[in-house]
Amino acid sequence: MPSAPPLPLSTPSRNLVRLTIVRGITWTGFLAAVIIGVELLHFELHVVAVIGVIVAMGLINLFTWWRLGRQWVVSHTEYVIHLLADVLGLTLLFYLTGGSTNPFINYYLIPVTIAAATLPWRYAWIIASSAMASYTMLMFDYHPVPQLTHHYDDEAIDLHVLGMWLNFALSAGLVTFFIFKMAHALRSREQALSRTREAALRNEQVVAVATQAAGTAHELGTPLSTMAVLLSEMREDVRGNGALEKDVELLRQQVDVCKARLRHLVQSADRGRMAKPEVRDAREWLASVVQRWLVLRPDVSHRLDIGSQRGTPWLKVDATLDQAITNLLNNAADANPDDISIRLDWSAEEVVIDIRDHGPGVALEIADQLGETFVSTKSKGLGIGLFLTHATINRFGGGVSLYNHPDGGTLTEVTLPPSEP
C-alpha cells in the first residue's frame, strides 16, 4: 500500500483563510499607496485601470470568503490557483505602475514564500517560476512612471534595476528551496512524534492488559487449587455412589484442564519472550493457521485462495502472529460463519491477507478507531482482541485496515513486510 503523505503543518483550509487575510491587508495597502502617489506625489498613472485591478482583487477576496463558508474541501490545486491569482494581480498592478522600477516589486517574494512553506515541492516551484517569469517580463514591458524611471548613459536597462532582478531571482530560489526543506523537516518531525506517541500509548495499553492477565491468572490459580482439594475430599465422601462419583470426577477433570491452560499460558508467554520469529513460506503458514482455526470453528464455511504471483512470499512469524490472524478469522466467523473468503497475495514490497465476511459490516465512525482503543464490533465485545491484533501486526511492521465491501460485509486487509529466507 502507498506510504502515507507527511503531516501538513496546517490544513489547506486554514492556509486559505490566512492567505485571504494577507491578501486583504496587502491590497488595502496598495490602494493607500496609489492614493498617496497620485494625490501627494503626483504620479502619472492610469488611475482607472489601477483601481480596476485593486477592485478585481477585492472581489476575488470576497468570493474566497464566501467559498470558505461552504463545506467544500480545499485542495492543493485550488490553493495554487489562489496564489497564481495573486501573482497575476501583482503583475497587472506593477505593469501599470512602473514595472521593474516599482520599489514594491519584491513583494513577489510573499506568494513564493507562502507556497514554499505550505505546498508540495512541484507546486512551490510553479509559483516561484510564475513570479520569476512575471518579474522578467516587467523588465521589458510596462507602463513607465516618470517619477520612478531613471536610466543612465542611455542604457536599455538600468544596472540598478538589473541588480534588483538578480537579487529577486536569488532570493526566490533560496526561499523556495530552504523554506520548503524546513517545512518538510517539520512535517516529518510531527509525523515521527505522532507515531511515537501512538506507539507509546499502545504499549502502555498492552502492558496494562498483560498485567491484568497475569494478575487474573494468579488469582484464578488459588481458587482452582482450593476446588481441586475439595473435589478430592468429595470424591472420598461419595465413593460407592456411581452417579455422584462420575459427576465429581468430571468436575475434577475440568478443574485440571483449567489449571493446565493457565500453566500453558504462562509457559507460552515465557517462550514468546525468549524465542525469535521464524521465517516461513506465507502460503504454508496461512494454510496451517486456517486449519487450526477450523478445528476451533467447525461451524464455518470458507474459501482459501492463494495468489499465483512468481516467487515465494517469505514472512517472519511466531505464535503471537498466528493468534492475531486467528482473532481476525474469529471476528469474521462471528459476523457470519457462511462463505468466509480468505485470500493471500504478495509483491516485492508487501504480503497482503484479505479476509471477507458477509456480515452487517462496520460503522465508519468505529472502523477508524479499531485497534487504537478498546472498541469492539460486537455488542458484547470488549475490543481487546482487535487491539492486541493491531499491536501484534504493527510489531511485525504491518498494518490492519477494515473496509465495508461494496457487495456487503466487511473486508479486513492485513499487510506485512516480506522477509528474506
Side-chain angles (χ1 to χ4, degrees):
M1 296 179 66
S3 58
L7 294 176
L9 294 178
S10 181
T11 62
S13 296
R14 292 181 180 178
N15 290 333
L16 185 55
V17 170
R18 297 186 183 107
L19 177 62
T20 306
I21 295 173
V22 170
R23 183 188 292 152
I25 295 173
T26 298
W27 287 92
T28 300
F30 284 154
L31 178 60
V34 169
I35 293 174
I36 293 173
V38 173
E39 297 296 331
L40 299 181
L41 303 178
H42 307 291
F43 283 1
E44 297 177 9
L45 302 176
H46 290 296
V47 177
V48 175
V50 171
I51 296 300
V53 172
I54 295 175
V55 169
M57 294 304 299
L59 292 175
I60 291 176
N61 225 30
L62 291 175
F63 172 78
T64 305
W65 276 117
W66 174 85
R67 178 257 177 275
L68 287 171
R70 300 297 180 271
Q71 298 298 322
W72 300 335
V73 178
V74 179
S75 64
H76 286 313
T77 301
E78 180 182 354
Y79 194 58
V80 168
I81 292 174
H82 280 277
L83 287 173
L84 288 175
D86 287 336
V87 172
L88 177 60
L90 290 173
T91 302
L92 292 174
L93 180 66
F94 292 147
Y95 172 81
L96 296 169
T97 57
S100 59
T101 64
N102 190 312
F104 293 102
I105 190 72
N106 282 332
Y107 191 85
Y108 274 127
L109 284 174
I110 300 302
V112 170
T113 303
I114 292 174
T118 59
L119 289 172
W121 182 254
R122 65 181 183 275
Y123 292 133
W125 278 111
I126 288 175
I127 300 301
S129 299
S130 63
M132 192 69 240
S134 299
Y135 195 149
T136 303
M137 183 271 292
L138 290 172
M139 293 181 66
F140 303 98
D141 187 13
Y142 58 90
H143 182 272
V145 177
Q147 290 83 355
L148 299 177
T149 304
H150 48 286
H151 294 296
Y152 300 97
D153 299 330
D154 297 328
E155 293 178 352
I157 299 180
D158 182 7
L159 292 179
H160 175 73
V161 174
L162 179 60
M164 290 173 58
W165 179 84
L166 291 174
N167 174 65
F168 177 83
L170 179 62
S171 299
L174 291 176
V175 163
T176 301
F177 181 79
F178 286 107
I179 294 295
F180 175 81
K181 290 298 183 182
M182 292 169 60
H184 180 72
L186 287 173
R187 294 186 187 103
S188 299
R189 183 176 66 86
E190 289 294 326
Q191 186 180 40
L193 288 174
S194 176
R195 289 177 176 174
T196 301
R197 286 193 296 266
E198 291 177 1
L201 177 61
R202 187 184 302 114
N203 290 338
E204 289 178 2
Q205 292 175 314
V206 169
V207 170
V209 171
T211 302
Q212 292 294 325
T216 301
H218 177 73
E219 293 170 1
L220 286 176
T222 300
L224 286 174
S225 298
T226 303
M227 292 172 63
V229 172
L230 292 176
L231 287 170
S232 297
E233 296 177 356
M234 292 174 64
R235 183 171 52 184
E236 296 297 329
D237 295 339
V238 298
R239 190 176 298 277
N241 188 332
L244 289 178
E245 192 171 359
K246 289 182 180 179
D247 291 341
V248 171
E249 184 61 28
L250 178 60
L251 287 174
R252 177 59 187 262
Q253 291 175 359
Q254 295 298 315
V255 170
D256 290 340
V257 168
C258 292
K259 294 174 66 175
R261 293 303 301 172
L262 284 177
R263 286 195 299 269
H264 177 73
L265 177 65
V266 175
Q267 293 170 358
S268 297
D270 291 338
R271 286 197 301 268
R273 285 193 295 267
M274 300 296 295
K276 293 182 178 180
E278 63 174 321
V279 179
R280 294 187 57 182
D281 185 336
R283 297 169 294 189
E284 298 176 358
W285 168 75
L286 181 60
S288 65
V289 171
V290 171
Q291 287 303 315
R292 289 195 298 271
W293 169 66
L294 290 175
V295 173
L296 300 174
R297 301 296 296 262
D299 58 317
V300 303
S301 60
H302 80 292
R303 182 177 71 257
L304 175 60
D305 297 322
I306 304 295
S308 57
Q309 294 91 330
R310 299 179 60 182
T312 302
W314 298 103
L315 279 179
K316 287 184 178 180
V317 300
D318 65 7
T320 61
L321 188 60
D322 294 0
Q323 186 60 50
I325 299 300
T326 302
N327 289 343
L328 295 177
L329 291 171
N330 282 331
N331 284 342
D334 291 341
N336 188 339
D338 298 328
D339 194 23
I340 295 175
S341 174
I342 309 165
R343 180 169 180 81
L344 173 68
D345 288 296
W346 64 90
S347 65
E349 292 78 22
E350 61 185 8
V351 176
V352 180
I353 302 172
D354 289 332
I355 303 172
R356 189 206 164 186
D357 61 60
H358 292 78
V362 181
L364 294 179
E365 60 271 16
I366 296 179
D368 292 337
Q369 304 178 53
L370 290 178
E372 301 300 328
T373 57
F374 294 154
V375 178
S376 178
T377 58
K378 308 169 190 174
S379 59
K380 298 182 180 179
L382 300 178
I384 296 178
L386 269 176
F387 173 79
L388 295 178
T389 296
H390 275 254
T392 299
I393 294 176
N394 289 339
R395 181 166 56 86
F396 280 86
V400 183
S401 300
L402 276 72
Y403 308 97
N404 285 321
H405 197 277
D407 297 330
T410 303
L411 174 64
T412 304
E413 182 182 75
V414 178
T415 59
L416 291 165
S419 181
E420 294 295 331

